[in-house]
Amino acid sequence: MKLQKTARSEVAEGLKHHFPRLWRYCLVLAGHPDRADDLAQATCLRAIEKADLWAPGTQLDRWTFRIAQRIWLNELRSEAVRRGGGMTTAEDIDLPDGRPNQEMNFFAREVLLEVMALPEAQRTTVVLVYVEGYSYKEAAALLDIPIGTVMSRLAAARAKLVCKLNEPKSQVG
Protein backbone atom coordinates (compact mmCIF):
# COMPACT_ATOMS: atom_id res chain seq x y z
CA MET A 1 0.00 0.00 0.00
CA LYS A 2 2.83 2.38 0.86
CA LEU A 3 4.60 1.62 -2.47
CA GLN A 4 1.37 2.36 -4.36
CA LYS A 5 0.94 5.66 -2.48
CA THR A 6 4.55 6.62 -3.22
CA ALA A 7 4.21 5.81 -6.92
CA ARG A 8 0.93 7.71 -7.07
CA SER A 9 2.45 10.78 -5.41
CA GLU A 10 5.53 10.62 -7.69
CA VAL A 11 3.31 10.44 -10.76
CA ALA A 12 1.09 13.28 -9.53
CA GLU A 13 4.12 15.45 -8.79
CA GLY A 14 5.73 14.61 -12.13
CA LEU A 15 2.53 15.46 -14.00
CA LYS A 16 2.68 19.00 -12.63
CA HIS A 17 6.11 19.43 -14.18
CA HIS A 18 5.34 17.71 -17.51
CA PHE A 19 1.80 18.98 -18.06
CA PRO A 20 2.63 21.75 -20.60
CA ARG A 21 4.44 19.23 -22.83
CA LEU A 22 1.64 16.70 -22.40
CA TRP A 23 -0.96 19.31 -23.34
CA ARG A 24 0.98 20.28 -26.49
CA TYR A 25 1.15 16.64 -27.49
CA CYS A 26 -2.58 16.27 -26.85
CA LEU A 27 -3.23 19.36 -29.00
CA VAL A 28 -1.31 17.77 -31.85
CA LEU A 29 -3.30 14.56 -31.50
CA ALA A 30 -6.70 16.17 -31.01
CA GLY A 31 -6.33 19.14 -33.34
CA HIS A 32 -8.37 21.53 -31.19
CA PRO A 33 -7.64 23.16 -27.81
CA ASP A 34 -10.90 22.02 -26.18
CA ARG A 35 -10.35 18.43 -27.20
CA ALA A 36 -6.71 18.70 -26.10
CA ASP A 37 -7.89 19.83 -22.65
CA ASP A 38 -10.16 16.80 -22.37
CA LEU A 39 -7.47 14.43 -23.62
CA ALA A 40 -4.82 15.84 -21.27
CA GLN A 41 -7.21 15.59 -18.34
CA ALA A 42 -8.12 12.00 -19.20
CA THR A 43 -4.42 11.18 -19.56
CA CYS A 44 -3.58 12.64 -16.14
CA LEU A 45 -6.47 10.78 -14.55
CA ARG A 46 -5.43 7.49 -16.16
CA ALA A 47 -1.78 8.05 -15.17
CA ILE A 48 -2.72 8.60 -11.53
CA GLU A 49 -5.10 5.61 -11.56
CA LYS A 50 -2.41 3.39 -13.11
CA ALA A 51 0.52 4.85 -11.18
CA ASP A 52 1.43 1.44 -9.79
CA LEU A 53 2.25 0.36 -13.38
CA TRP A 54 4.81 3.16 -13.83
CA ALA A 55 8.38 2.17 -13.06
CA PRO A 56 9.98 4.89 -10.91
CA GLY A 57 13.18 6.14 -12.46
CA THR A 58 11.86 5.83 -16.01
CA GLN A 59 10.72 8.71 -18.23
CA LEU A 60 7.31 9.84 -16.95
CA ASP A 61 6.73 12.07 -19.98
CA ARG A 62 7.16 9.14 -22.39
CA TRP A 63 4.81 7.03 -20.31
CA THR A 64 2.12 9.73 -20.27
CA PHE A 65 2.54 10.40 -24.02
CA ARG A 66 1.85 6.71 -24.65
CA ILE A 67 -1.22 6.88 -22.42
CA ALA A 68 -2.46 9.95 -24.33
CA GLN A 69 -1.84 8.25 -27.66
CA ARG A 70 -3.78 5.15 -26.62
CA ILE A 71 -6.69 7.15 -25.22
CA TRP A 72 -6.83 9.21 -28.41
CA LEU A 73 -6.77 6.15 -30.68
CA ASN A 74 -9.52 4.53 -28.62
CA GLU A 75 -11.53 7.74 -28.84
CA LEU A 76 -11.11 7.87 -32.63
CA ARG A 77 -12.18 4.25 -32.96
CA SER A 78 -15.27 4.72 -30.83
CA GLU A 79 -16.15 7.95 -32.68
CA ALA A 80 -15.84 6.18 -36.02
CA VAL A 81 -18.13 3.43 -34.81
CA ARG A 82 -20.70 5.89 -33.41
CA ARG A 83 -20.90 8.40 -36.24
CA GLY A 84 -17.89 8.29 -38.51
CA GLY A 85 -16.55 11.49 -36.93
CA GLY A 86 -13.22 13.00 -37.78
CA MET A 87 -10.81 15.63 -36.67
CA THR A 88 -11.17 19.37 -36.69
CA THR A 89 -9.77 21.01 -39.77
CA ALA A 90 -6.60 23.04 -39.39
CA GLU A 91 -8.44 26.23 -40.36
CA ASP A 92 -10.82 25.84 -37.40
CA ILE A 93 -8.04 25.90 -34.80
CA ASP A 94 -8.09 29.09 -32.77
CA LEU A 95 -4.58 29.68 -31.46
CA PRO A 96 -3.87 32.44 -28.95
CA ASP A 97 -1.37 35.06 -30.11
CA GLY A 98 0.66 36.39 -27.21
CA ARG A 99 3.82 37.62 -28.94
CA PRO A 100 4.21 41.23 -30.05
CA ASN A 101 5.80 40.60 -33.47
CA GLN A 102 2.80 40.20 -35.79
CA GLU A 103 4.79 39.13 -38.86
CA MET A 104 6.49 36.34 -36.92
CA ASN A 105 3.16 35.37 -35.35
CA PHE A 106 1.61 35.13 -38.81
CA PHE A 107 4.41 32.89 -40.06
CA ALA A 108 4.38 30.72 -36.92
CA ARG A 109 0.61 30.32 -37.21
CA GLU A 110 0.95 29.47 -40.90
CA VAL A 111 3.56 26.81 -40.12
CA LEU A 112 1.48 25.40 -37.28
CA LEU A 113 -1.62 25.25 -39.47
CA GLU A 114 0.35 23.38 -42.12
CA VAL A 115 1.75 21.00 -39.50
CA MET A 116 -1.76 20.41 -38.17
CA ALA A 117 -2.93 19.64 -41.72
CA LEU A 118 -0.39 16.81 -42.06
CA PRO A 119 -1.65 13.26 -41.68
CA GLU A 120 -1.80 12.26 -38.01
CA ALA A 121 1.19 9.89 -38.19
CA GLN A 122 3.43 12.59 -39.68
CA ARG A 123 2.04 15.29 -37.39
CA THR A 124 2.74 13.39 -34.17
CA THR A 125 6.21 12.40 -35.35
CA VAL A 126 7.06 16.02 -36.27
CA VAL A 127 5.95 17.28 -32.86
CA LEU A 128 7.81 14.60 -30.92
CA VAL A 129 11.08 15.16 -32.77
CA TYR A 130 11.07 18.86 -33.68
CA VAL A 131 9.01 20.39 -30.87
CA GLU A 132 9.57 18.06 -27.93
CA GLY A 133 13.17 17.29 -28.87
CA TYR A 134 13.06 13.50 -28.81
CA SER A 135 15.68 11.65 -30.81
CA TYR A 136 14.55 9.49 -33.72
CA LYS A 137 15.18 6.42 -31.58
CA GLU A 138 13.15 7.79 -28.66
CA ALA A 139 10.26 8.81 -30.94
CA ALA A 140 10.31 5.35 -32.53
CA ALA A 141 10.10 3.72 -29.12
CA LEU A 142 7.33 6.07 -27.99
CA LEU A 143 5.26 5.46 -31.13
CA ASP A 144 6.16 1.75 -31.19
CA ILE A 145 7.40 1.91 -34.79
CA PRO A 146 10.77 1.25 -36.46
CA ILE A 147 13.27 4.12 -36.54
CA GLY A 148 13.19 3.99 -40.35
CA THR A 149 9.48 4.78 -40.24
CA VAL A 150 10.20 7.83 -38.08
CA MET A 151 12.78 9.01 -40.60
CA SER A 152 10.40 8.37 -43.49
CA ARG A 153 7.53 10.25 -41.81
CA LEU A 154 9.77 13.23 -41.05
CA ALA A 155 11.13 13.34 -44.61
CA ALA A 156 7.61 13.21 -46.06
CA ALA A 157 6.38 15.88 -43.63
CA ARG A 158 9.33 18.19 -44.41
CA ALA A 159 8.74 17.80 -48.14
CA LYS A 160 5.04 18.65 -47.76
CA LEU A 161 5.74 21.62 -45.48
CA VAL A 162 8.44 23.06 -47.77
CA CYS A 163 6.15 22.68 -50.77
CA LYS A 164 3.15 24.26 -49.00
CA LEU A 165 5.09 27.11 -47.38
CA ASN A 166 6.92 28.00 -50.60
CA GLU A 167 3.90 28.08 -52.89
CA PRO A 168 2.91 31.61 -53.90
CA LYS A 169 0.02 33.15 -52.02
CA SER A 170 -2.81 34.67 -54.00
CA GLN A 171 -2.98 38.43 -53.76
CA VAL A 172 -6.33 40.06 -53.01
CA GLY A 173 -6.59 43.62 -54.12
Side-chain angles (χ1 to χ4, degrees), residues 41-54:
Q41 184 178 13
T43 301
C44 289
L45 182 61
R46 177 88 42 93
I48 290 170
E49 288 172 349
K50 304 287 185 181
D52 54 322
L53 299 176
W54 177 67

Side-chain angles (χ1 to χ4, degrees), residues 11-29:
V11 168
E13 192 61 36
L15 284 172
K16 291 177 189 175
H17 176 71
H18 293 294
F19 188 80
R21 293 179 68 210
L22 174 64
W23 187 87
R24 274 195 311 264
Y25 186 66
C26 290
L27 177 62
V28 167
L29 290 173

Side-chain angles (χ1 to χ4, degrees), residues 25-164:
Y25 186 66
C26 290
L27 177 62
V28 167
L29 290 173
H32 195 276
D34 292 337
R35 291 183 83 177
D37 290 342
D38 293 343
L39 180 56
Q41 184 178 13
T43 301
C44 289
L45 182 61
R46 177 88 42 93
I48 290 170
E49 288 172 349
K50 304 287 185 181
D52 54 322
L53 299 176
W54 177 67
T58 61
Q59 300 285 337
L60 180 65
D61 56 343
R62 293 181 194 168
W63 186 64
T64 56
F65 281 17
R66 284 298 289 252
I67 291 172
Q69 182 183 27
R70 288 183 178 138
I71 290 172
W72 178 246
L73 290 175
N74 288 339
E75 204 172 291
L76 285 180
R77 285 184 198 114
S78 65
E79 225 177 67
V81 168
R82 282 195 307 266
R83 59 188 131 97
M87 295 179 44
T88 304
T89 63
E91 294 79 25
D92 292 338
I93 298 173
D94 185 27
L95 299 172
D97 184 12
R99 292 183 278 174
N101 183 341
Q102 289 183 345
E103 191 172 310
M104 182 55 115
N105 285 338
F106 178 77
F107 182 71
R109 181 178 173 88
E110 185 179 355
V111 169
L112 183 56
L113 288 173
E114 292 300 335
V115 167
M116 294 302 287
L118 290 170
E120 182 179 348
Q122 291 176 8
R123 186 175 64 238
T124 55
T125 307
V126 164
V127 169
L128 287 175
V129 173
Y130 296 132
V131 176
E132 295 301 331
Y134 287 105
S135 69
Y136 289 8
K137 183 178 179 181
E138 292 168 329
L142 185 68
L143 296 171
D144 197 25
I145 58 175
I147 195 167
T149 304
V150 169
M151 294 165 59
S152 175
R153 287 179 183 178
L154 290 174
R158 280 192 304 264
K160 284 181 185 176
L161 291 173
V162 166
C163 184
K164 282 295 216 176

